[in-house]
């Protein structure tokens, strides 16, 4: 019997390419796992009228972790009965911490010596999707609770103490003193109880500028949902782009790991997608479940290929998904 059971959800678009590629790498690294394949996303909704079937819930709940490919969320008015699969799964399973590492990789144009983590509160803020319209006026609610703020603050503080002991709380309490103020003050109150934690605060617009000018000053940054969504993509641009950006959605019981990029329907099916982000999401997954040795081997193999080539097109090379994956497998050997 395999040591681990892993749920694989390809999702939409290039998810059908990057998940199989990453599974090949996991197998080549000797990861002792049984895989449970499940479905979710817009394509599944179009065929079945729901974004996530019961079988997928069962798979997520009866495995050690889930690796998710990519999801499509159509812009504009949502079709009847549709909901974003990954946002729904985050809410359903209480995956309150979205963890997005940003680390310098050997790719063209990357900033040097960047090693930070953005911790994004994953269940509240504007992304509760409570919107309504009254004629020409549209209103969206933002939800911030003390419990959720304390929970994400503790997670970020614990992570910071495992690293350099530095935590930056990013906020907009100068304009939104009730909601953002609650988030900020709750985290600062918790931070005072953590011996050795060096806590600072920064307004979100300044944080965006500082990330561009001097990202090396940051270690762990914690913020509300939408700010984290935006700044983590900005941070990814500092070290090579979304093609190498991975994230983890972590709760007290479950974890779903994914690339930061979307489903890229413009290139889906062409065999040219970059699977690096999904491979690095698998590294996060492996660390989460405790297989640190396999995680380091895959991380090192990916870095070796990024240095020596072949690189995918988004990183200035000509390799397709299969050629890049073959190179990572060869590097593992």
């Amino acid at each position: 019997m395999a040591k681990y059971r892993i749920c694989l959800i390809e999702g939409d678009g290039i998810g059908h390419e990057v998940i199989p590629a990453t599974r090949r790498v996991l197998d080549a690294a000797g990861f002792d796992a049984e895989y449970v394949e499940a479905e979710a996303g817009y394509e599944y909704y179009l065929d079945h009228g729901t974004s996530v079937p019961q079988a997928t819930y069962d798979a997520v709940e009866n495995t050690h972790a889930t690796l998710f490919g990519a999801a499509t969320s159509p812009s504009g008015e949502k079709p009847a009965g549709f909901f974003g699969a990954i946002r729904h799964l985050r809410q359903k399973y209480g995956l309150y911490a979205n963890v997005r590492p940003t680390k310098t990789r050997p790719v063209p144009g990357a900033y040097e010596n960047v090693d930070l983590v953005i911790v994004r509160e994953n269940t509240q803020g504007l992304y509760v999707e409570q919107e309504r319209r009254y004629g020409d006026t549209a209103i969206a609610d933002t939800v911030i609770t003390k419990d959720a703020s304390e929970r994400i603050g503790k997670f970020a503080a614990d992570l910071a103490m495992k690293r350099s002991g530095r935590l930056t709380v990013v906020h907009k309490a100068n304009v939104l003193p009730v909601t953002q103020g609650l988030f900020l003050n709750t985290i600062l109150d918790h931070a005072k109880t953590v011996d050795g934690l060096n806590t600072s605060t920064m307004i979100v617009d300044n944080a965006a500028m500082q990330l561009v000018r001097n990202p090396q000053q940051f270690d762990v940054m914690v913020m509300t949902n939408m700010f984290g969504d935006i700044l983590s993509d900005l941070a990814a641009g500092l070290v090579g782009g979304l093609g190498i950006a991975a994230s983890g959605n972590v709760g007290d019981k479950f974890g779903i790991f994914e690339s930061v990029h979307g489903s890229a329907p413009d290139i889906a099916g062409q065999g040219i997608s970059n699977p690096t982000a999904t491979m690095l999401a698998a590294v996060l997954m492996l660390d989460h479940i405790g297989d640190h040795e396999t995680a380091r081997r895959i991380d090192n193999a990916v870095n070796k290929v990024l240095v020596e080539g072949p690189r995918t097109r988004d990183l200035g090379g000509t390799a397709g998904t299969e050629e890049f994956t073959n190179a990572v497998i060869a590097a593992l050997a």
Side-chain angles (χ1 to χ4, degrees):
M1 180 179 293
K3 184 175 181 180
Y4 299 104
R5 298 184 80 238
I6 301 298
C7 175
L8 298 178
I9 303 175
E10 294 182 2
D12 301 314
I14 62 172
H16 301 299
E17 300 163 39
V18 296
I19 287 291
T22 301
R23 178 173 177 172
R24 288 182 60 208
V25 168
L26 287 166
D27 289 342
F31 179 49
D32 184 14
E34 172 192 351
Y35 297 103
V36 180
E37 297 183 359
E39 296 181 284
Y42 188 54
E43 295 169 17
Y44 188 87
Y45 162 81
L46 291 176
D47 289 338
H48 301 279
T50 184
S51 302
V52 183
Q54 181 60 45
T56 297
Y57 298 139
D58 295 340
V60 170
E61 293 167 12
N62 290 285
T63 51
H64 291 93
T66 297
L67 189 62
F68 194 103
T72 296
S73 288
S75 298
E77 187 173 347
K78 298 294 188 287
F82 173 78
F83 49 84
I86 191 66
R87 290 195 301 275
H88 170 72
L89 291 170
R90 290 168 179 166
Q91 293 279 352
K92 179 176 176 62
Y93 293 112
L95 308 180
Y96 58 86
N98 184 260
V99 183
R100 295 192 173 183
T102 298
K103 186 174 182 178
T104 297
R105 297 278 175 181
V107 297
Y111 282 48
E112 295 182 357
N113 303 316
V114 177
D115 186 6
L116 62 89
V117 181
I118 290 178
V119 177
R120 163 187 168 193
E121 202 292 317
N122 217 15
T123 63
Q124 295 191 340
L126 277 170
Y127 287 10
V128 294
E129 299 182 78
Q130 294 177 6
E131 296 183 291
R132 56 206 176 276
R133 181 170 174 174
Y134 305 102
D136 292 336
T137 300
I139 297 174
D141 293 331
T142 185
V143 176
I144 303 291
T145 66
K146 185 172 183 177
D147 285 347
S149 300
E150 187 170 41
R151 182 174 61 181
I152 198 67
K154 182 179 186 304
F155 182 96
D158 290 347
L159 178 61
M161 291 304 294
K162 293 174 183 176
R163 291 169 56 92
S164 72
R166 292 184 293 117
L167 176 66
T168 303
V169 188
V170 178
H171 66 94
K172 194 65 177 175
N174 57 321
V175 175
L176 301 168
V178 176
T179 52
Q180 287 288 312
L182 177 61
F183 180 82
L184 171 65
N185 293 325
T186 300
I187 294 178
L188 291 179
D189 286 345
H190 173 74
K192 293 174 185 176
T193 70
V194 182
D195 290 338
L197 181 64
N198 181 3
T199 308
S200 61
T201 68
M202 189 172 290
I203 295 173
V204 63
D205 33 338
N206 184 34
M209 181 186 72
Q210 293 296 333
L211 277 168
V212 174
R213 290 178 61 86
N214 181 23
Q216 295 84 0
Q217 68 183 285
F218 297 110
D219 186 29
V220 177
M221 307 172 73
V222 61
M223 60 201 73
T224 51
N225 208 336
M226 187 169 72
F227 293 164
D229 193 10
I230 295 168
L231 290 190
S232 59
D233 279 16
L234 185 156
L238 306 177
V239 296
L242 295 182
I244 60 173
S247 71
N249 303 282
V250 179
D252 293 331
K253 187 174 182 181
F254 301 103
I256 298 178
F257 299 84
E258 58 173 330
S259 53
V260 174
H261 61 65
S263 60
D266 55 321
I267 63 169
Q270 299 179 39
I272 60 173
S273 58
N274 182 357
T276 301
T278 307
M279 293 178 186
L280 296 178
V283 170
L284 296 178
M285 178 190 74
L286 291 167
D287 278 328
H288 177 73
I289 63 177
D291 192 348
H292 305 296
E293 180 180 353
T294 306
R296 300 288 74 73
R297 290 186 62 218
I298 294 176
D299 191 85
N300 291 337
V302 168
N303 267 354
K304 180 179 174 64
V305 177
L306 291 176
V307 170
E308 300 177 359
R311 293 177 178 152
T312 52
R313 299 182 186 189
D314 59 311
L315 299 178
T318 60
T321 311
E322 184 174 8
E323 182 182 358
F324 182 86
T325 303
N326 290 341
V328 173
I329 291 170
L332 282 167

